[in-house]
Amino acid sequence: SLLPPLLALLCLGAADPKPDPDRDPDEPWCPYKVGGDGAAAAGARLCFRPPARGFQCAARGCRAHRSAGGALVANVLRNGSVLLQWGLRHWGPPSPRPSASLRGFALNCSWDGTYTRFPCDSVELGAACRDYLLAEAHGSVRYRLCLQPRYAPPRPAPPAQCVEFRVEPAAMRDIVVAMTAVGGSICVMLVFICLLVAYITENLMSPRGGHAAGGAAP
């Protein structure tokens, strides 16, 4: 069977990403692990992603939510994905070598249900990471994401910074687009009806009145 060799090639491709020609070779990749609970967390595979350089949240297609301390920003995009960005200067007092003992980041996710809060998958990110993409966030759900840097001893870990946001449901976006299209069609139909009524009033009603007036003169 060719299935095992193909799976092995896919795993090697995921662990050793191909270089991006548009990427600075001196800029490190972001290693991360997505874990869950129990066996899922133990079997988490190390993945890599390039940083989202120069990303800016445009007002028309994105909404930014910032944590209370200002370190963590959640950029909620209209396509349902969320790009998280963060920096180190908002955590605690400045250090001469802020990244010397930095070991990485821990990202914890949870969302509100009807009666309780449910945990999402946790993510462990490397020290070179400054952003992370949530590709598919559920609509109509309020998320709470908390990020905490991890340092080597004896430096203690600073408190986590959290951001909360709600993703606009995809169905609602489709309804808005459909209503806009229907509203435009209704406006065109109303304009056509008004023009038709004006045409009927001008060309059918006026000659009949003029003929009646002309017949009564003799």
Side-chain angles (χ1 to χ4, degrees):
S1 176
L2 295 177
L3 184 59
L6 290 176
L7 292 177
L9 289 176
L10 289 175
C11 292
L12 289 176
D16 187 14
K18 296 180 180 179
D20 186 357
D22 298 331
R23 179 178 167 272
D24 186 358
D26 296 332
E27 189 172 15
W29 288 84
C30 169
Y32 67 96
K33 280 185 178 181
V34 179
D37 297 329
R45 188 177 63 183
L46 182 65
C47 302
F48 297 86
R49 63 179 301 270
R53 297 175 300 167
F55 174 82
Q56 293 183 354
C57 187
R60 296 185 60 182
C62 174
R63 179 174 296 180
H65 303 266
R66 188 176 295 273
S67 63
L72 180 62
V73 180
N75 301 292
V76 182
L77 306 176
R78 295 193 55 160
N79 61 1
S81 60
V82 181
L83 179 64
L84 303 174
Q85 295 176 308
W86 61 86
L88 288 176
R89 62 187 181 89
H90 296 279
W91 264 293
S95 173
R97 301 178 63 190
S99 301
S101 59
L102 181 65
R103 292 296 179 262
F105 302 89
L107 178 66
N108 294 314
C109 171
S110 61
W111 58 275
D112 286 330
T114 305
Y115 300 104
T116 185
R117 182 180 291 272
F118 296 92
C120 311
D121 290 336
S122 59
V123 184
E124 297 180 6
L125 301 115
C129 300
R130 293 298 182 271
D131 54 60
Y132 181 72
L133 179 66
L134 296 176
E136 296 181 0
H138 297 285
S140 301
V141 173
R142 185 167 187 83
Y143 282 87
R144 178 179 173 85
L145 297 174
C146 296
L147 185 73
Q148 183 179 29
R150 290 181 173 177
Y151 290 93
R155 182 173 179 178
Q161 294 204 20
C162 303
V163 61
E164 295 187 2
F165 58 89
R166 187 183 300 273
V167 179
E168 181 182 355
M172 183 61 66
R173 294 194 299 268
D174 296 340
I175 290 174
V176 171
V177 172
M179 290 181 64
T180 303
V182 172
S185 301
I186 292 176
C187 291
V188 172
M189 291 178 62
L190 289 177
V191 171
F192 178 76
I193 291 173
C194 292
L195 292 176
L196 182 60
V197 170
Y199 175 81
I200 292 174
T201 303
E202 182 69 21
N203 295 279
L204 297 182
M205 300 299 293
S206 297
R208 182 179 302 175
H211 178 74

